[in-house]
Amino acid sequence: MTLPASYPIARSRPLDPPPEYQLFRTGRPITRITLDFDDSVVWLVTRYEDARTILGDPRFSSDFSTPGFPARLTAQPPGPGTFIRMDPPDHSRLRRLLLPEFTRRRVQEMRPAIQRIADSLIDDMAGASPPVDLVESLALPLPSQVITELLGVPYEDREYFHFTTKTIGDQSVDPEERMKVRNDLKTYLDELVAGKEARPVDDMLSRLGQRREEAGVSREEVVGIATLLMVAGYETIANQIGVGTLVLLEHPERVEELRRDPDKLPAAIEEIIRHQTVIDYGARRAATADVEVGGELIKAGEGVVVVLASANRDEEIFHDPDRLDFDREQRDHLSFGYGIHQCMGQLLARTQLEAAWSTLFRRIPGLRLAVPVEKVPFRHDMFVYGVHALPVTW
Ligand code: HEM
């Protein structure tokens, strides 16, 4: 097998990253490669230790406008509040405003609401006549409903909100149409935040509205934060539910293991998140100084793509990395990133996955794929990997 000269690399098996990653890890773990979408050349980082080194080093910028940052030429620069694409001090200022909303206690408080949403969706699913598409009936609506509850979107606007989250994340919709929906949503959110500032209630947007001036954050930035949460907290989790359910259905012995010992679910979730790393394209950075990593000199102004899916299958760190093993001792995967940008929604994501899978396999014990796995439409060439649809029966 020869090493490919361009990225992304096609998978040969849908539930495993491309086998070439292993060759890179053992042969050229940090290497120059051409990005397919704009022919720019970046550093591809495939080993776990190097991935952590780069993501933890402040000399690697997440700012979209840093020279060399790997981005599609046609991509719109992220607007105010989009702190995932910012460096300190702006990143720290905005992330700090949001931190109290994602503490363990806050997420625990949301647990009953998340369980209620999962119960209702899975009840509807169980009442339908199979086959049904699990993506439509569970994977998409669960995070969409959770995010509306979390932010405090009024009940009567929820249909509109679900439509917008779905459209913004749907790559098959025309980019101009998606941008229009996104701008409409901004206007809607701006009015919503203004209303909550005038008449605060007990929800996230009201709290952010009340705290923002003291934290030096504008209303426009709060609107940007809300949009970021919708985007970051929707497509990721929806696909993690989709492809995670599929990997479980492909390993009935693992489902049986969970049935025998439900206390294993948290470990199982961690392992599924490692095994099925949905941020397929990787974490992107640009060097702001010359930095030596793993024996290579990355120069200021050069772009870097850290392949989380490869780091998570690094045989130096994870014994027999391709195996789905709920008893694994090493659980520190990189699916939620690492360093100052590590995912803020990870506890919320785990809680949603727990509610979804514990309820699904208890309520519909005979759940199985309705088509051969080769017929499942996988999301190749998407920034977030997963399945477009998952036909299931019982
Ligand atoms: C399984 C589901 C999820 C996965 C795999 C995931 C993955 C990630 C990754 C890899 C990053 C770091 C990106 C980088 O370093 O460039 C990140 C950041 C982030 N995620 Fe998630 N995420 C998930 C769910 C969520 C949810 C549910 C929310 C919130 C509702 C959320 C909110 C965020 C935010 C706000 C950031 C930016 C943090 C920062 O820049 O400081 N994510 N996520």
Side-chain angles (χ1 to χ4, degrees), residues 55 62 69 82-86 91 95 98 102 143 146-147 150 204 225 228-241 273 276-279 282-285 308 334-350 352-353 384:
L55 296 178
S62 283
F69 188 87
T82 316
F83 62 91
I84 191 169
R85 292 273 164 269
M86 291 179 190
H91 169 263
R95 185 166 166 128
L98 206 52
F102 286 98
V146 168
I147 207 86
L150 181 74
M204 186 195 283
I225 291 175
L228 169 63
L229 289 179
M230 285 179 50
V231 178
Y234 178 62
E235 219 185 334
T236 45
I237 185 93
N239 281 291
Q240 196 76 68
I241 295 173
I273 294 173
Q276 295 301 314
T277 311
V278 295
I279 307 288
R284 291 172 283 163
R285 298 292 186 267
L308 305 175
L334 296 184
S335 296
F336 291 122
Y338 182 76
I340 61 166
H341 288 279
Q342 204 186 63
C343 181
M344 286 196 85
Q346 53 184 290
L347 289 178
L348 189 66
R350 291 186 177 103
Q352 292 185 60
L353 294 173
V384 181

Side-chain angles (χ1 to χ4, degrees), residues 193-206:
V193 175
K196 287 188 189 273
E197 280 182 13
R199 288 169 302 281
V201 287
D202 183 19
D203 60 33
M204 186 195 283
L205 284 183
S206 299

Side-chain angles (χ1 to χ4, degrees), residues 73-93:
L73 290 175
T74 51
Q76 298 271 339
T82 316
F83 62 91
I84 191 169
R85 292 273 164 269
M86 291 179 190
D87 295 331
D90 280 332
H91 169 263
S92 337
R93 177 174 59 87

Side-chain angles (χ1 to χ4, degrees), residues 19 75 146 155 161 223 256 297 328 348:
V146 168
Y155 204 77
F161 224 71
V223 169
E256 195 41 49
L297 184 66
R328 198 173 277 291
L348 189 66

